Amino acid sequence: KEPLLNVCMDAKHHKSEPGPEGKLYEQCSPWKDNACCTANTSLEAHKDQSYLYNFNWNHCGVMPPKCKRHFIQDTCLYECSPNLGPWIQQEDSSWRRERILHVPLCREDCEQWWQDCRDALTCKDNWHKGWNWATGTNRCPWGSECRPFHRVFPRPQDLCEKIWSGSFRYSPERRGSGRCIQMWFDPARGNPNAAVARYYA
C-alpha cells in the first residue's frame, strides 16, 4: 500500500517527492504544508496563458472568472496534490511519463464546476487532444463551433469525466465522506484527501 501514499507523479512540472512549500499562490495555497508543486508552478497555474502547458482557457472568448476558478483549482489539485497515488497510471507521451485516471471527484465539486461554467463557451469536449496548435497555443480546430458548456457537456458528469480524457470520475459520494477527492477544501482543517487516498490504496 505504501508506495501509493504521499507521492508525486512523474510528469512535466512535479517535484520528485512532496514536501512543505512556504508560499504557494492563492488557490493552490491549501497544499502548502505538503505539496508536489513549487511556488512558481502555483503562480503559473493562475495565468491565462501560462508556460505550464501554453494552454489558453479563452479559446472561445473570455472565460468568466467564476468558471475559470474551477480550472485553476483543477490545475492546483493536479500539480500540487500528494494524494493521487492510487490513480496514477503509466503514460507514454512526449511530455509526461505518468497521468491520473478515474480519480473519484466529489459530487459537489463536479456539480459546482458545471454550474459555474454552464454558460461559458468551448468548442471541444476533450481538452487533452485535437486542438489546432499552429500558433503555439491551442485554438479551436477548423470547422468546430463555440457552444455553451451545457450543450457540450449536458450533465456535470460529462464535464468531469470527458474534459481531461477520463482523469476524473464523477463520484456519487459527498465531500467529507472520506470516499471522494475534494478539489476544494479548508486547509485549516487539514487535507481531507490524504484519508481518501488511504482508503483506496
Side-chain angles (χ1 to χ4, degrees), residues 167-185:
S167 293
F168 294 118
R169 174 175 70 74
Y170 173 83
S171 171
E173 302 286 351
R174 297 192 167 276
R175 283 185 197 160
S177 64
R179 303 283 182 270
C180 60
I181 292 288
Q182 292 178 213
M183 211 152 71
W184 303 85
F185 59 89

Side-chain angles (χ1 to χ4, degrees), residues 15 18-39 42 76 80-83 185-191:
K15 301 188 325 196
E21 284 290 327
K23 286 266 185 277
L24 288 186
Y25 192 68
E26 289 186 7
Q27 285 182 225
C28 294
S29 64
W31 284 275
K32 70 178 175 11
D33 294 342
N34 192 26
C36 285
C37 61
T38 61
S42 74
C76 290
C80 305
S81 177
N83 308 124
F185 59 89
D186 174 4
R189 301 165 62 177
N191 182 339

Side-chain angles (χ1 to χ4, degrees), residues 32-119:
K32 70 178 175 11
D33 294 342
N34 192 26
C36 285
C37 61
T38 61
N40 192 40
T41 296
S42 74
L43 177 66
E44 287 289 328
H46 291 71
K47 295 185 178 171
D48 276 349
Q49 189 66 59
S50 102
Y51 85 88
L52 293 178
Y53 305 100
N54 281 329
F55 195 88
N56 178 19
W57 304 125
N58 304 321
H59 52 265
C60 277
V62 178
M63 182 183 276
K66 69 174 184 177
C67 173
K68 187 180 297 165
R69 70 191 187 102
H70 291 274
F71 285 96
I72 294 170
Q73 198 69 12
D74 162 47
T75 305
C76 290
L77 175 71
Y78 173 79
E79 300 290 349
C80 305
S81 177
N83 308 124
L84 300 174
W87 303 281
I88 291 176
Q89 304 271 332
Q90 297 302 305
E91 158 96 334
D92 205 18
S93 79
S94 57
W95 54 281
R96 59 180 180 181
R97 282 180 287 287
E98 291 181 331
R99 64 163 295 187
I100 47 172
L101 193 65
H102 303 152
V103 173
L105 196 63
C106 296
R107 177 173 160 179
E108 298 94 331
D109 287 51
C110 198
E111 288 172 353
Q112 194 62 54
W113 188 357
W114 185 83
Q115 198 57 48
D116 287 347
C117 290
R118 54 169 304 163
D119 298 321

